[in-house]
Amino acid sequence: MSSGLGAGRPASTPRADDGPIRILLIEDDDGLANALVEALTARLYRIRRKTHGADLLTSHRECDVVILDLGLPDGDGLDVLRQLRTISSVPVVVLTARGDERTVVRGLRSGADDYVVKPPRVAELAARLETVVRRRATAAQPPAAQVESGDVRIDLAARHVDVGGVRVALTHKEFELLRVLAEHAGSAVSRQQLMDEIWGNAFVAVSRSLDVHMTGLRTKLNRPKLITTIRGYGYRWEPEAGG
Ligand code: CA
């Protein structure tokens, strides 16, 4: 598999079960937030509410869909949405002011899946949420069990990698790096996305740690053309370059 996910976005964590849709609400207005939490909980959604844009970057992993207000205490919701899109494809519905067409367009260009006008009608909001979650679930594909490039063969289920027919022993973090890159074979993966998927937080100082593990991985694989460095962005697994 390569870039078959959504609109070329990174993959989101798949839902663990068929339970209620888990919503993350980012809204600083207590009155509106409380009303939404109450109304959506009554409709059997599981909803968590946060107040700052920064919360989106650390809390997105445990939800199926995000409702994002744009005027937030720590800045413009669209800025944080663009940051989110470098690491996650979780569906996002933005809350906009009435008739604000420019904001709607900017929101969708920044990676929003849909929008609702404030104050949102709960039935309409629920319908939007269901639609974007269903759309994303349809776009997701089961990950390939095996990934090959030249004489490099990865068994993602068994967590083995063979190079030239010889098993290579990797550390846990090295294998995780390899796995994330191989699951996006042929596509650029940002450093932030790697840090988010492997360390669980793209915005703390694990950048040096990433470099150390990447160096270890490359040395052990000994296939210099297999992983391309994209300067200022991240890395790409080359599907045809392992041999
Ligand atoms: Ca606000």
Side-chain angles (χ1 to χ4, degrees), residues 181-220:
L181 291 173
E183 284 180 351
H184 301 83
S187 300
V189 178
S190 70
R191 290 176 61 88
Q192 283 74 22
Q193 187 183 350
L194 286 167
M195 293 188 282
D196 184 63
E197 288 205 26
I198 299 167
W199 281 268
N201 190 336
F203 302 91
V204 296
V206 294
S207 196
R208 218 186 99 64
S209 204
L210 171 59
D211 292 329
V212 170
H213 292 290
M214 182 60 79
T215 301
L217 174 62
R218 282 175 152 158
T219 303
K220 288 179 182 176

Side-chain angles (χ1 to χ4, degrees), residues 26-29 32 51 69-73 118:
I26 310 279
E27 168 63 75
D28 59 317
D29 181 315
L32 177 55
T51 52
D69 180 34
L70 297 183
L72 293 165
K118 275 185 170 185

Side-chain angles (χ1 to χ4, degrees), residues 112-156:
D113 294 80
D114 210 334
Y115 68 96
V116 288
V117 170
K118 275 185 170 185
R121 290 185 302 117
V122 172
E124 180 192 355
L125 178 57
R128 297 292 165 93
L129 295 171
E130 297 278 351
T131 301
V132 296
V133 169
R134 199 176 328 115
R135 197 194 297 153
R136 189 54 47 86
T138 314
Q141 303 166 351
Q146 300 229 345
V147 179
E148 292 182 20
S149 176
D151 67 350
V152 178
R153 205 164 283 182
I154 310 168
D155 186 327
L156 292 169

